[in-house]
Amino acid sequence: ERALLWAVLLAAWEAAWGQLRYSVPEERPKGSFVGDVAKDLGLQLPALKDRDAHVFDTGRTRYFFLDLQNGHLSMMEQVDREEICAAVSKCVLHFEILVKHPMKLYKGEVEILDINDNSPSFPESSSILEISENTAPGTRFPLERAHDPDIGVNSLQNYKCSESSYFTLDVKNGNDGVKYPELILVKSLDREQQAAHNLILTATDKGSPVKSGSTTIKIIVIDGNDNAPEFTQSVYKVTVREDVAVGSRVLQVTATDRDEGPNAEVKYSFFKIPEKFDKTFKMDPESGEIEIIEKLNFEEHQFYELTVQARDAGGLSSHSKVFIEVVDVNNYIPEIVIMSVFSPVPEDTPLGTVIAIFSVQDRDSGANGEVQCSIPEGLPFRLEKSFDNYYSVVTAELLDREQVSEYNVTVRAADGGNHHLILTAVDGGDPVRSGTAQIKINVTDANDNPPVFTKEIYKVRLMENLPEGSLAFQVKATDSDEGTNAEITYSFSDIAKSVHQLFTLDPRTGDVKVTGPLDYEERKYYEASVEGKDGGGLTAHAKVHIDIIDVNDNAP
């Protein structure tokens, strides 16, 4: 009926348009006054009823009615702005008033004003946030934001958090205009001091009166295994007789861990114990007891320095020293400790280059502890004493990978340039004791040899009817180097256009193929230069002379 009425109006009437604007707060009761339509349109009240005025809402729901007795526009029902307009900032309802006799149409709108009828609220009244105690200060933790369906100052305006020396609150303004709370860790957590933190996050608006909503955040500090086991002593010392019985307990080490659960379970072990010591002592992983499992020999060892380790299930560990002194007099074999070996060594290494650094130590004292180091004569190396008991092995002669035979028998030369250098350390004791160590030096290739062609001049004779694509001849060069330095690439150099059109040179194999028709009657010979370049950039050159042999390919 309404659509039909509009069609008739558009076809037959001349509408007079006017614009009425009113505003009313939301939640007003049914029948509340909106506006004086009769006064605003200049209509007389007696005539208003006679002229049969009607109100039409543009939406599906009717929100207003017109009282023809007084000309007032009133609320048909109570309106909730958040329900009908959701997140729209300006909530406007449109209506139309049709007055007959004569017919006139007036348009109007009513803005539904927001009132602070909603408090900010969080999705959950409480939440749990688990944070490892290893988390670095400055780390941010986004929090669940609150929701307030009101708009303007009546909507959510700010967040605040209860005081904490470990956390602070930062409120970010998103690109969508929404405020997002983030919790920032300002001080490192320590579960062993405080295992949980309780915070209250409050969201507030700026309505009148101010409304707020809160949620409780419980922060549980997860054990981060931040405490390594601690030994009761940094050094354990014990003195035993060399004739102590096998199976005797030497001492017991003890460590504690302030963490909890698996992170506090401690296992004991030796840490990088020398193999010979490992056969002499055994450690109980549960109790930390050290037991002798091999008969002690004062003449071999008068003092043992062991490193023991306490490791928890989380992987943290600590170490302590165990000094075991064997009562009696003892002589030690000098020990050579290789500090660093600079290998491989290029064959073009300058004289005086350091190849290896090592130290020599002897636990004896007096003449028994005075050590002299030497290497066999005839080697391309010499020893230089750095300081105290530190020595350097330096090059004394130029190395040549291609001439391995220059090394004497004391240097074991393996294929590929591998050489073994024997070092000997001798003490001044009686009897004299010595120790040896082995340094492996790999001499690598330097690009010190250019390619060499098998011929200086390649002379070739080709029949003029040789088909295109046929192999004409091959150039070949060799290189005494190895690897990339020995990889040769072939190419024409100083090539004439005629040669370039008739011949191609394979850069990898050196094969020269015919790529065009040969004709003895046009040209009887060709000359060109070829180049061989290795991977290091060194080159060699050779000449090529090609004679074309006549065949009977022309009739009288």
Side-chain angles (χ1 to χ4, degrees), residues 480-507:
S480 300
D481 293 316
E482 66 176 1
T484 304
N485 294 331
E487 295 177 359
I488 301 175
T489 302
Y490 302 95
S491 64
F492 282 122
S493 63
D494 189 22
I495 182 173
K497 182 178 181 182
S498 58
V499 176
H500 180 71
Q501 292 175 342
L502 296 177
F503 301 96
T504 59
L505 174 59
D506 189 308

Side-chain angles (χ1 to χ4, degrees), residues 22-67:
Y22 302 106
S23 62
V24 61
E26 63 172 327
E27 306 293 351
R28 294 292 295 274
K30 179 178 179 180
S32 297
F33 173 78
V34 176
D36 192 339
V37 173
K39 178 181 178 181
D40 295 337
L41 293 180
L43 301 177
Q44 299 297 324
L45 289 178
L48 187 62
K49 181 177 181 181
D50 297 336
R51 296 175 66 178
D52 192 13
H54 297 277
V55 176
F56 297 94
D57 291 289
T58 58
R60 294 183 178 181
T61 304
R62 186 176 180 186
Y63 296 102
F64 313 104
F65 70 91
L66 180 62
D67 190 338

Side-chain angles (χ1 to χ4, degrees), residues 251-446:
L251 59 85
Q252 182 180 22
V253 298
T254 305
T256 58
D257 195 310
R258 292 191 298 156
D259 291 317
E260 64 178 1
N263 293 333
E265 297 176 0
V266 178
K267 299 289 185 181
Y268 300 95
S269 63
F270 288 122
F271 182 73
K272 295 183 178 179
I273 183 173
E275 183 178 353
K276 55 185 177 181
F277 290 0
D278 192 38
K279 296 179 180 179
T280 306
F281 304 100
K282 180 179 71 173
M283 170 169 277
D284 189 307
E286 301 295 336
S287 66
E289 292 183 348
I290 299 177
E291 177 185 333
I292 296 176
I293 58 175
E294 183 181 62
K295 185 173 179 60
L296 300 179
N297 189 330
F298 177 81
E299 284 68 34
E300 292 181 0
H301 296 288
Q302 70 175 19
F303 184 82
Y304 294 89
E305 180 179 340
L306 308 177
T307 301
V308 292
Q309 173 179 272
R311 183 184 182 93
D312 61 26
L316 295 183
S317 61
S318 63
H319 304 85
S320 180
K321 292 288 187 180
V322 175
F323 296 151
I324 302 175
E325 182 179 1
V326 181
V327 178
D328 208 337
V329 177
N330 188 31
N331 299 321
Y332 289 95
I333 296 175
E335 297 179 8
I336 300 175
V337 179
I338 306 300
M339 310 298 293
S340 181
V341 177
F342 304 98
S343 178
V345 179
E347 62 177 326
D348 57 355
T349 298
L351 296 178
T353 300
V354 176
I355 302 300
I357 298 175
F358 65 92
S359 66
V360 180
Q361 57 182 355
D362 192 317
R363 295 185 184 180
D364 292 327
S365 60
N368 294 333
E370 296 177 359
V371 180
Q372 295 181 349
C373 293
S374 64
I375 60 175
E377 296 180 356
L379 296 175
F381 307 102
R382 70 173 184 270
L383 287 181
E384 290 184 357
K385 188 170 183 178
S386 302
F387 56 90
D388 294 336
N389 292 325
Y390 286 85
Y391 294 82
S392 298
V393 179
V394 300
T395 54
E397 299 175 14
L398 292 177
L399 304 177
D400 191 342
R401 188 196 62 82
E402 290 77 26
Q403 300 294 328
V404 178
S405 60
E406 292 183 6
Y407 298 100
N408 60 38
V409 309
T410 58
V411 178
R412 296 195 297 272
D415 56 354
N418 293 320
H419 309 282
H420 297 82
L421 179 64
I422 305 300
L423 304 178
T424 304
V426 181
D427 63 19
D430 185 16
V432 174
R433 294 181 178 272
S434 63
T436 61
Q438 196 173 74
I439 300 176
K440 182 179 180 181
I441 300 175
N442 183 23
V443 180
T444 59
D445 181 54

Side-chain angles (χ1 to χ4, degrees), residues 29-147:
K30 179 178 179 180
S32 297
F33 173 78
V34 176
D36 192 339
V37 173
K39 178 181 178 181
D40 295 337
L41 293 180
L43 301 177
Q44 299 297 324
L45 289 178
L48 187 62
K49 181 177 181 181
D50 297 336
R51 296 175 66 178
D52 192 13
H54 297 277
V55 176
F56 297 94
D57 291 289
T58 58
R60 294 183 178 181
T61 304
R62 186 176 180 186
Y63 296 102
F64 313 104
F65 70 91
L66 180 62
D67 190 338
L68 299 180
Q69 299 298 328
N70 53 23
H72 292 174
L73 184 68
S74 302
M75 300 297 299
M76 177 67 73
E77 61 180 38
Q78 191 179 52
V79 174
D80 185 347
R81 191 201 66 82
E82 289 76 31
E83 180 179 347
I84 62 175
C85 291
V88 178
S89 59
K90 186 175 182 180
C91 183
V92 176
L93 300 178
H94 298 272
F95 67 90
E96 297 155 357
I97 297 178
L98 177 63
V99 179
K100 301 179 181 179
H101 310 305
M103 290 188 180
K104 288 187 179 181
L105 183 66
Y106 300 91
K107 294 184 68 176
E109 63 181 37
V110 178
E111 181 181 358
I112 306 301
L113 302 177
D114 181 54
I115 65 172
N116 194 22
D117 57 340
N118 292 283
S119 299
S121 62
F122 289 90
E124 302 290 341
S125 60
S126 62
S127 60
I128 296 177
L129 181 61
E130 293 184 344
I131 303 177
S132 171
E133 63 178 330
N134 291 336
T135 303
T139 303
R140 292 174 173 264
F141 302 92
L143 302 177
E144 195 74 45
R145 67 183 184 91
H147 176 70

